[in-house]
Amino acid sequence: MLQIGDLIWGLLFIGCAAAIQVQITPTQGEISVGESKFFLCEVLGDVKDIDWYAPSGEKILPNRPDIFVSRGDETMSTLTIYHANVDSAGIYKCVAKNGDKEAQATVQVKIFQKITFESAPTPQEFNEGDDADIVCNVVSSPPPTIIWKHKGSRIQVAKDVRFKIMDNGHLQIRGIKKTDEGMYNCEARVMARGEIDFRMIRVVVNVLPTIRARQSEVNATADIGISALLACDADGFPEPTVTWAHNNIVLETGDKYSLNEDGSELVIKDVKKVDEGDYTCIAKNKAGEKAEEVSLNVFVQPKITYLNNQTASEFDDQVTLTCEASGDPTPTISWSFDNRVLTEGEQSLDRNIVVRSHARVSSLTLKNVLFTYAGQYLCTASNSIGQDDQHMYLEVRYAPKILGRVTVYTWEGNPANISCEVEAHPGASVVWFRDGFQLPSANTTNMKIYNTPTISYLEVTPDSQNDFGSYNCTATNVMGSESKEFLLIQADVPSSPEIKLVEPFSSTAVVKFEEPDSMGGVPIIKYRVEWRLPGQDWIGSEHNAKDDMTTITIVGLKPETTYEVKMSAINGKGEGESSPARTFKTEPVLSSEVPPPIAATSMARREPSAPKLEVKMQDRGNTLKVNWIKQDDGGSPIKHYLVRYKAKHVSDWKPEIRIPHNSEYVTLSGLDWNTEYEVHVVAENQQGKSEPGIISFRTAVDPTTIPDAMDGGSGLGTGAIVGILIVVFFLLLVGVDVTCYFLNKCGLLMCIAVNFCGKAGPGAKSKDIEEGKAAFTKDESKEPIVEVRTEEEHTPNQEGGGPTEPNETTPLTEPDGKTVKDDNTKGETEVKNATAEVKTVPNEAPQTNGNESKA
């Protein structure tokens, strides 16, 4: 089918066969800068030449790089404009020629600038507080309209004066903040063409670092191997890097310094005094840098640097001791001697001891030197962080000084030591003389000399009165000599003690006395007490002398009986004279016929004194034996002892135990392990009860206790060990039960067989026997069983009868085997000559008798 164009050209050709016609397609053109476009020139008619002319009128020649002309055939030519620019705009003309015939057509080419972002970098960074200029360079023709958006909304410069769109299209933000950070949209519009384009620009706001030292001052002690930690915390955006500098030198991790990963902590190793000073913490990022100073104060413990021993002679004018010390802060120096502290200034009323200090030096001056100044002196240097102590020795040379007791007592045949104690420096030699002759001499066999570094002993065994008298000790060294006379005196027996008072009881009496006026020169060894019925022989006893001894108790007396008593003292020489005899009468034994109030008033009876107690641990650590010593019975025989005890951490006492009067101890067994107990023992006579004798003790630790798995011990805990023991016990129990079942037809399995299988057990025939067992009964009491046993022991009778009374040194026992009736009893009798032993059995009911005890 023929095209319409071809039909038109055919009609024109027919109508105008001789004319040339030219047409350019497209008839007009718009080209964006940088784009390429071609134009087609078509000629109707025979032509020879088809040429293109530039807007300047110049013929466009072939092979131009920017504009290219090509002829397709005889009726067609193409103009191509490559990479158009604004200079390419204008009217282009196509001319067709054939001889003298010519035809032309023109086309107007318009060049326009498309929206082009010449510069819109991202990201763009600014420092907080700066006036930010966000660059967005856009070109187009006509010039574009620039619109800025942030967070999806158009920036309204009229509402926020900090924002301004510059003439060049840039966005200015005055005093930009961290909150202004984010994505900004730079949008360009050309309204004539409806053209639009945009660029997203990321704005980054860098924040100048802030820095804060954790401690502006750090204190450290030098020379003790410690480290110092300096730290600062920095903030900013981007994250700042932290470095440290000291004396303008940047510090790095090494032998002396170490830094943590972010550099915020600086560790100074093995601090020395030279490390003291200011350290700078520097935080730096894109926004800038900040610095903070941290001061390191290095203190030094005191150290005594100079202290030497000194030597002086007695009676020298003076000697000076010097002590020097270093340290920071400057140490204070003091001196000590013989538990006395010597500080700055004069230290004695006679002004012979003076201490002077200046800076780090202290001097101790001793004037008019005495031998007592010799010894060890302590220099102490101290400051706020420590102290140092060092000793020095002052040696004082002095002549001998003889000490010791001048008089020595002895008797013929008894050796005596005369002691010559010598103090001297250097050491002295000692020589003994008598009557000008050095001892021992050739004709003396009863004298010997023993020497120690400081004492010389002259041992003299007197043979006769001639050996008593004066002896001379002479000590000599390089500084001089000294002599001293010692007297050896014949000792005498002591004078008689003075009896001040005799306090009688029914079977005892307490003799109160004063020691002799004269000891005879040697200590009293014993006292002899003698007593008798008037007109009969004296009976006596000796008692070892003790310090401050003023009373002696005589025992074995008969009630309502008159006695005479006298005393004498005994020393090494012998026994002295007896004191004048003193008469007294013992009190009667209180009987049940006499009413207690009248008896107590008329006969001065009273309660007994509290017994003295002592505890002895038995082989088993939770069993203890409590012994007591009977004291004054108050003039009436002891009926019995009452014992009670309890653990200190509880308030309830165990049941009271009654012990026979002739017992001297009680054994407490079954006590709790590792527990403190308190025991009270009360003696009771006709008049009442004594004050309790009290003693406390702690039982031993349970030897079967399983120690905790601690300190590298067993890895099993207490619960695991207990569990293992329970399993082992259970298995053992089952094994025993099975054995009993098969061998003896008894046990748990036999019980099950009887009750569930109907089999008769062998135990049925012994039911009556089982019912007859009455050794122990079960109840709900949690108190211990108390078992009282007696052990027979016979004591010889003294003077045929009455109860033996106590003295200070002998044990207390009932002297005979007779039964003593208790007026308040109901006919029962006590077991005599027996020692009671009480054993406690936990969780059983107590077993006690109603009167005294059961054997």
Side-chain angles (χ1 to χ4, degrees):
M1 187 177 181
L2 296 174
Q3 298 293 329
I4 295 175
D6 296 337
L7 183 59
I8 293 173
W9 279 103
L11 292 174
L12 287 174
F13 180 74
I14 295 170
C16 304
I20 301 174
Q21 296 182 4
V22 179
Q23 181 179 356
I24 299 175
T25 304
T27 58
Q28 65 179 2
E30 287 189 355
I31 307 174
S32 174
V33 174
E35 290 185 350
S36 299
K37 196 167 187 177
F38 71 91
F39 296 91
L40 181 62
C41 179
E42 294 178 290
V43 179
L44 184 60
D46 293 331
V47 294
K48 184 179 181 180
D49 298 315
I50 303 175
D51 298 312
W52 287 89
Y53 291 86
S56 61
E58 295 179 0
K59 183 180 178 180
I60 299 175
L61 299 176
N63 303 322
R64 280 182 58 174
D66 53 342
I67 300 175
F68 181 73
V69 176
S70 65
R71 189 168 179 175
D73 55 25
E74 293 180 352
T75 63
M76 190 181 301
S77 179
T78 303
L79 172 67
T80 303
I81 302 174
Y82 290 102
H83 307 297
N85 56 45
V86 292
D87 294 335
S88 302
I91 297 173
Y92 287 82
K93 184 170 56 173
C94 179
V95 178
K97 293 180 180 181
N98 188 7
D100 55 355
K101 295 179 181 180
E102 178 179 316
Q104 62 180 12
T106 60
V107 62
Q108 184 169 0
V109 178
K110 296 179 180 180
I111 304 298
F112 69 93
Q113 177 70 57
K114 215 166 82 168
I115 294 175
T116 302
F117 289 87
E118 293 183 338
S119 178
T122 184
Q124 296 184 39
E125 298 187 19
F126 307 95
N127 292 339
E128 186 178 38
D130 290 352
D131 291 339
D133 183 5
I134 304 176
V135 175
C136 183
N137 293 328
V138 187
V139 294
S140 73
S141 56
T145 299
I146 305 299
I147 298 173
W148 286 90
K149 296 179 180 179
H150 180 47
K151 296 181 180 178
S153 300
R154 183 171 179 173
I155 295 175
Q156 303 290 335
V157 296
K159 293 183 179 180
D160 192 339
V161 297
R162 294 191 307 118
F163 292 87
K164 180 181 179 182
I165 299 176
M166 309 296 288
D167 293 340
N168 59 4
H170 296 184
L171 175 64
Q172 183 186 71
I173 305 177
R174 298 186 185 92
I176 192 168
K177 304 175 183 177
K178 185 66 176 175
T179 55
D180 296 328
E181 193 174 63
M183 299 300 295
Y184 284 77
N185 185 351
C186 176
E187 185 177 286
R189 296 184 179 185
V190 177
M191 300 302 293
R193 293 192 299 273
E195 185 180 0
I196 185 171
D197 199 1
F198 67 91
R199 292 290 183 271
M200 297 300 295
I201 302 173
R202 185 163 68 90
V203 174
V204 177
V205 180
N206 295 325
V207 180
L208 187 69
T210 58
I211 191 167
R212 179 182 59 83
R214 296 181 194 172
Q215 290 178 278
S216 59
E217 288 193 9
V218 176
N219 297 330
T221 303
D223 304 323
I224 59 174
I226 67 167
S227 299
L229 173 65
L230 312 183
C232 66
D233 297 313
D235 194 12
F237 187 85
E239 186 76 21
T241 59
V242 179
T243 57
W244 289 85
H246 178 53
N247 295 332
N248 296 321
I249 299 174
V250 176
L251 307 180
E252 297 179 353
T253 296
D255 294 338
K256 184 63 179 177
Y257 306 101
S258 67
L259 295 161
N260 65 345
E261 186 176 352
D262 61 4
S264 61
E265 295 181 352
L266 170 68
V267 176
I268 304 172
K269 305 172 187 176
D270 191 16
V271 175
K272 305 292 184 183
K273 183 63 178 176
V274 293
D275 296 325
E276 188 173 62
D278 292 333
Y279 289 76
T280 306
C281 177
I282 305 167
K284 185 177 182 180
N285 66 4
K286 291 181 179 180
E289 69 176 42
K290 281 290 184 72
E292 184 79 11
E293 297 288 339
V294 179
S295 296
L296 175 63
N297 302 318
V298 179
F299 299 102
V300 181
Q301 288 185 330
K303 178 70 175 178
I304 294 177
T305 57
Y306 177 83
L307 185 67
N308 288 335
N309 295 333
Q310 296 277 14
T311 301
S313 296
E314 190 175 28
F315 309 124
D316 282 354
D317 290 339
Q318 69 178 38
V319 61
T320 299
L321 315 181
T322 302
C323 181
E324 295 182 10
S326 62
D328 188 10
T330 301
T332 300
I333 301 176
S334 62
W335 296 84
S336 300
F337 175 67
D338 196 20
N339 296 323
R340 178 183 174 190
V341 178
L342 309 174
T343 55
E344 179 75 14
E346 296 175 353
Q347 300 297 311
S348 60
L349 295 177
D350 56 10
R351 300 183 177 181
N352 282 343
I353 304 176
V354 180
V355 176
R356 291 285 182 262
S357 297
H358 177 70
R360 303 173 186 271
V361 180
S362 178
S363 62
L364 171 64
T365 301
L366 306 173
K367 302 178 181 178
N368 301 320
V369 178
L370 302 176
F371 79 97
T372 54
Y373 290 170
Q376 187 170 259
Y377 288 76
L378 175 67
C379 175
T380 301
S382 60
N383 61 15
S384 58
I385 61 169
Q387 73 175 39
D388 187 25
D389 300 311
Q390 284 192 25
H391 294 88
M392 62 82 59
Y393 190 83
L394 174 62
E395 177 187 358
V396 177
R397 298 161 61 88
Y398 57 95
K401 303 178 187 302
I402 297 179
L403 312 174
R405 192 158 53 98
V406 174
T407 57
V408 178
Y409 290 85
T410 188
W411 55 92
E412 292 179 8
N414 183 62
N417 286 328
I418 305 175
S419 302
C420 180
E421 183 178 355
V422 179
E423 288 188 355
H425 186 73
S429 60
V430 178
V431 180
W432 289 90
F433 295 94
R434 188 172 192 209
D435 299 331
F437 295 98
Q438 184 174 342
L439 300 177
S441 58
N443 58 352
T444 57
T445 59
N446 61 340
M447 298 181 189
K448 298 178 181 178
I449 296 175
Y450 303 97
N451 291 318
T452 70
T454 58
I455 303 177
S456 179
Y457 298 96
L458 174 63
E459 182 188 275
V460 181
T461 305
D463 293 334
S464 64
Q465 187 64 34
N466 292 334
D467 292 326
F468 296 94
S470 176
Y471 292 82
N472 176 273
C473 174
T474 299
T476 305
N477 70 358
V478 295
M479 303 298 294
S481 64
E482 182 173 337
S483 296
K484 190 172 186 178
E485 297 292 326
F486 291 87
L487 295 178
L488 184 62
I489 301 175
Q490 175 104 1
D492 200 357
V493 295
S495 60
S496 63
E498 180 183 358
I499 298 177
K500 304 295 289 185
L501 175 67
V502 178
E503 186 176 0
F505 298 99
S506 60
S507 59
T508 63
V510 177
V511 180
K512 299 182 179 180
F513 64 94
E514 288 185 355
E515 64 181 14
D517 294 332
S518 172
M519 305 292 183
V522 290
I524 291 177
I525 302 172
K526 294 181 180 180
Y527 288 101
R528 181 188 296 277
V529 181
E530 296 178 284
W531 64 94
R532 69 177 181 179
L533 296 171
Q536 296 188 12
D537 295 336
W538 291 96
I539 300 172
S541 62
E542 292 184 356
H543 303 268
N544 293 329
K546 301 177 183 177
D547 293 339
D548 300 324
M549 187 175 182
T550 58
T551 62
I552 292 177
T553 301
I554 55 179
V555 299
L557 307 180
K558 295 180 180 180
E560 292 189 285
T561 304
T562 300
Y563 287 92
E564 293 178 334
V565 63
K566 64 179 180 177
M567 286 185 66
S568 60
I570 303 171
N571 65 8
K573 178 67 182 291
E575 182 177 357
E577 294 182 356
S578 297
S579 64
R582 186 164 183 145
T583 302
F584 68 93
K585 185 178 181 181
T586 56
E587 300 288 347
V589 176
L590 188 64
S591 64
S592 59
E593 286 76 16
V594 180
I598 297 175
T601 303
S602 61
M603 301 182 184
R605 298 293 188 268
R606 59 180 177 81
E607 299 84 356
S609 300
K612 293 183 179 179
L613 308 183
E614 63 180 16
V615 170
K616 183 177 181 182
M617 187 75 69
Q618 300 300 292
D619 293 339
R620 186 163 175 81
N622 66 340
T623 300
L624 292 103
K625 183 177 181 180
V626 181
N627 296 286
W628 55 80
I629 299 175
K630 177 182 175 183
Q631 302 300 298
D632 180 17
D633 62 6
S636 182
I638 300 296
K639 294 165 50 181
H640 47 249
Y641 293 95
L642 303 176
V643 179
R644 63 175 184 161
Y645 66 98
K646 73 178 185 69
K648 278 197 171 183
H649 66 277
V650 300
S651 57
D652 296 335
W653 292 86
K654 300 292 184 182
E656 189 172 70
I657 307 165
R658 181 176 293 184
I659 305 297
H661 68 91
N662 56 348
S663 298
E664 296 180 0
Y665 71 89
V666 63
T667 300
L668 305 178
S669 60
L671 304 177
D672 294 335
W673 295 100
N674 194 26
T675 302
E676 192 167 359
Y677 280 89
E678 181 178 338
V679 179
H680 288 194
V681 178
V682 173
E684 186 174 5
N685 65 5
Q686 286 291 112
Q687 308 308 315
K689 298 178 181 178
S690 70
E691 292 294 321
I694 302 174
I695 196 167
S696 297
F697 60 87
R698 176 175 287 276
T699 55
V701 178
D702 188 353
T704 63
T705 299
I706 301 174
D708 252 347
M710 295 176 61
D711 298 329
S714 171
L716 292 177
T718 303
I721 295 174
V722 171
I724 292 172
L725 292 176
I726 292 174
V727 172
V728 172
F729 177 76
F730 178 75
L731 294 176
L732 184 62
L733 186 64
V734 170
V736 171
D737 193 63
V738 170
T739 303
C740 292
Y741 175 75
F742 285 104
L743 295 180
N744 300 321
K745 300 301 182 181
C746 63
L748 181 62
L749 293 177
M750 193 63 198
C751 179
I752 294 173
V754 170
N755 287 278
F756 292 96
C757 301
K759 295 182 179 180
K765 62 183 179 180
S766 58
K767 181 177 179 181
D768 294 338
I769 299 176
E770 293 297 327
E771 289 178 351
K773 285 190 175 182
F776 297 92
T777 61
K778 295 183 179 178
D779 60 17
E780 299 301 321
S781 172
K782 299 301 181 182
E783 298 297 335
I785 289 179
V786 180
E787 177 187 351
V788 181
R789 298 200 301 267
T790 58
E791 300 171 359
E792 294 297 331
E793 58 178 5
H794 301 283
T795 305
N797 221 355
Q798 296 186 9
E799 298 188 359
T804 304
E805 296 297 332
N807 64 20
E808 292 183 332
T809 58
T810 59
L812 308 178
T813 58
E814 186 66 32
D816 58 16
K818 295 181 180 180
T819 302
V820 179
K821 300 272 188 176
D822 187 342
D823 294 339
N824 295 327
T825 61
K826 297 178 182 180
E828 296 104 356
T829 61
E830 294 181 344
V831 178
K832 303 302 177 182
N833 302 323
T835 298
E837 179 179 356
V838 177
K839 293 187 177 180
T840 62
V841 182
N843 302 322
E844 297 287 348
Q847 295 183 359
T848 57
N849 61 4
N851 184 15
E852 298 295 337
S853 64
K854 291 183 179 180

